[in-house]
Amino acid sequence: MTSGDGTAAPSDADLLRAHVEGDKQAFGELVRRHRDRLWAVALRTIGDREEAADAVQDALLSAHRNAARFRGDSAVTTWLHRIVVNACLDRIRRRQAHPTVPLPDGSRSEEGPSGVEPAAPAQDHDTALVVREALAALPADQRAAIVLVDVQGYPVAEAAEILGVAIGTIKSRCARGRAKMALALGDIAHPGEGNQEASTSVPSGPAADRRDQR
């Protein structure tokens, strides 16, 4: 990576180290590099713009305060994503503990970074809403795995590292989540015909062609 003047730009690890050492600009630069993808993961995981924005804010504040604890045994971006996903899962658990709060559909607020959530073509809008609802209906652990692997395109091994579980666990969660989504999407697309023709992948995100390469 090079900066605008052609010199080598600092790595993520360099920026985090500089932040720990007192550089007041380093963490902001690190956030600028990764904010859009962190936001996309949060939004897809938690399903609500306001809560996703709050989760990202909480996560980045935690990362800012605890940067000195980063051991360097994973990529900085993996570490940041782990903090963001954990913040989202914490919020999902709190929301589930208060069932009177309706499950958001992701469209309540315009807060958060703009231009990150992909906009579906008009003719696919209804399908996108159905997929979003099917994803939101999954258990939090399956949803997080599918968001990372199927929507955001992370390798299974990196998703396992982000979530702090075994590779086999990620594969199992993805398989169970895809099966539930296929059933939901199949029932909508072919009412009364079962789900024999339903796809088991999430029809959004960059991962469709790479998912099976791990």
Side-chain angles (χ1 to χ4, degrees):
M1 181 183 299
T2 59
S3 61
D5 60 5
T7 60
S11 67
D12 290 347
D14 291 337
L15 288 172
L16 194 62
R17 189 179 307 110
H19 164 64
V20 172
E21 293 172 354
D23 186 329
K24 297 185 181 302
Q25 306 299 322
F27 193 79
E29 174 60 27
L30 184 63
V31 170
R32 279 189 290 274
R33 286 184 183 180
H34 301 292
R35 182 180 64 175
D36 285 355
R37 203 168 190 195
L38 294 172
W39 161 252
V41 167
L43 181 59
R44 296 296 191 184
T45 300
I46 209 166
D48 176 85
R49 284 181 173 270
E50 276 189 13
E51 291 219 48
D54 288 343
V56 171
Q57 182 176 354
D58 290 347
L60 292 178
L61 181 59
S62 176
H64 185 276
R65 290 174 173 172
N66 297 299
R69 299 182 185 178
F70 177 69
R71 299 190 302 269
D73 53 358
S74 65
V76 171
T77 183
T78 299
W79 175 71
L80 288 172
H81 277 80
R82 183 186 303 134
I83 297 173
V84 168
V85 171
N86 284 337
C88 290
L89 294 178
D90 285 345
R91 286 182 171 272
I92 290 171
R93 294 184 190 104
R94 290 199 296 269
R95 188 168 67 191
Q96 289 173 341
H98 301 281
T100 55
V101 178
L103 184 66
D105 65 2
S107 59
R108 185 178 67 191
S109 170
E110 294 302 320
E111 292 186 9
S114 61
V116 177
E117 185 183 19
Q123 64 269 27
D124 293 334
H125 181 66
D126 290 344
T127 299
L129 290 177
V130 170
V131 171
R132 178 183 294 168
E133 290 172 359
L135 184 62
L138 294 178
D141 57 350
Q142 294 175 18
R143 189 192 317 170
I146 284 183
V147 166
L148 290 173
V149 176
D150 287 350
V151 179
Q152 293 301 317
Y154 283 96
V156 170
E158 188 170 356
E161 192 172 3
I162 289 171
L163 294 176
V165 298
I167 290 175
T169 301
I170 292 294
K171 292 180 178 179
S172 175
R173 289 177 180 178
C174 285
R176 293 198 304 269
R178 290 168 192 151
K180 290 177 182 177
M181 291 189 70
L183 182 61
L185 297 175
D187 285 346
I188 293 171
H190 307 286
E193 298 180 16
N195 69 324
Q196 291 91 341
E197 301 300 324
S199 168
T200 57
S201 62
V202 181
S204 63
D209 295 332
R210 302 199 304 271
R211 190 179 61 215
D212 296 328
Q213 295 177 7
R214 277 79 74 180

